[in-house]
Amino acid sequence: MDTLSHNNAYDHNSQAFSADITITERMDYYSKWCRSGDYEKDLSKGGTYNGPIIAGEAISRLYPDDKNIRILDIAAGTGYVGEELRNKGYHNVDALEPSEGMLQQAIDKNIYKTHICDILGGTSVHINDDEYDCTIVCGGMGEGHIPCSGLNEMIRVVKPGGVVCIVMREEYLFTVSEYKDRLEPLMKQLEDDEKWEISDRIIFPNHFAGKSGVLFVFRVKCDGV
Ligand SMILES: C[S@@+](CC[C@H](N)C(=O)[O-])C[C@H]1O[C@@H](n2cnc3c(N)ncnc32)[C@H](O)[C@@H]1O
């Protein structure tokens, strides 16, 4: 990728993750970004942006033989993770995504069974307890994105014994005010409370634009929180 497009990707992404805009403005920004065709240009999968590939590989390591598991792709965007999962044979995948424009592009790809236009954090999403074998979030954690309270929802909608996967930019653990000194302590607290146990915390290179990422994998222990 040349320097100009690398900078565009970085600028557009920084605006989406700006601390200075409202939720509505952020969702509109995502809708405009993807409708212009630039989202998938800026965040080229396997080029600037590798998180979705890491996410798909993590799930196929966890469930190598069971392609029927029910998976919820949280913050599904235009469907990058769904594409990876479909290519690996998973066909029972739903999408949750609050930006109408992003969700429409995911719908147009015809890779998800159900499309839920909703936002994680705050009140409960309209999904029953224990509905899924696995949830995956990739790129949905960051400034103004999924708050710490979203972890409780991830646990609530996953069956006991199921898996919660989170792929995010590593530095956000320390630079995002919502997460700094809060996100990992909460992950640990949920482990102490026997809501889940951590199976993996893996740092990997080049999640987005040369920035390293972190993959978390948790095994859900109890029925809801
Ligand atoms: C950088 S995109 C990642 C999309 C997709 N997972 C990917 O890897 O291409 C971040 C997505 O998170 C969504 N998002 C932001 N805040 C959210 C929240 N609180 N709950 C669910 N999704 C959210 C945005 O609408 C956007 O589509």
Side-chain angles (χ1 to χ4, degrees), residues 54-118:
I54 298 294
E57 287 171 353
I59 290 179
S60 82
R61 275 197 306 276
L62 286 157
Y63 298 99
D65 301 319
D66 193 355
K67 305 292 183 184
N68 291 323
I69 53 161
R70 285 200 73 196
I71 304 172
L72 179 64
D73 180 7
I74 295 173
T78 61
Y80 269 173
V81 174
E83 288 172 331
E84 290 302 302
L85 292 173
R86 184 187 52 185
N87 291 342
K88 291 181 185 302
Y90 300 93
H91 53 87
N92 208 353
V93 187
D94 293 348
L96 181 143
E97 167 56 46
S99 156
E100 283 179 18
M102 297 286 271
L103 188 61
Q104 188 57 52
Q105 295 208 351
I107 291 169
D108 293 345
K109 288 179 182 168
N110 206 19
I111 42 180
Y112 296 104
K113 274 203 156 164
T114 304
H115 304 88
I116 305 163
C117 193
D118 210 341

Side-chain angles (χ1 to χ4, degrees), residues 125-151:
V125 290
H126 294 106
I127 297 175
N128 293 334
D129 296 356
D130 306 339
E131 190 80 19
Y132 291 95
D133 297 289
C134 176
T135 59
I136 171 75
V137 179
C138 176
M141 305 295 288
E143 192 68 59
H145 283 58
I146 297 173
C148 290
S149 61
L151 300 187

Side-chain angles (χ1 to χ4, degrees), residues 25 41 88 119 199:
E25 287 168 337
K41 248 188 254 160
K88 291 181 185 302
I119 190 155
S199 312

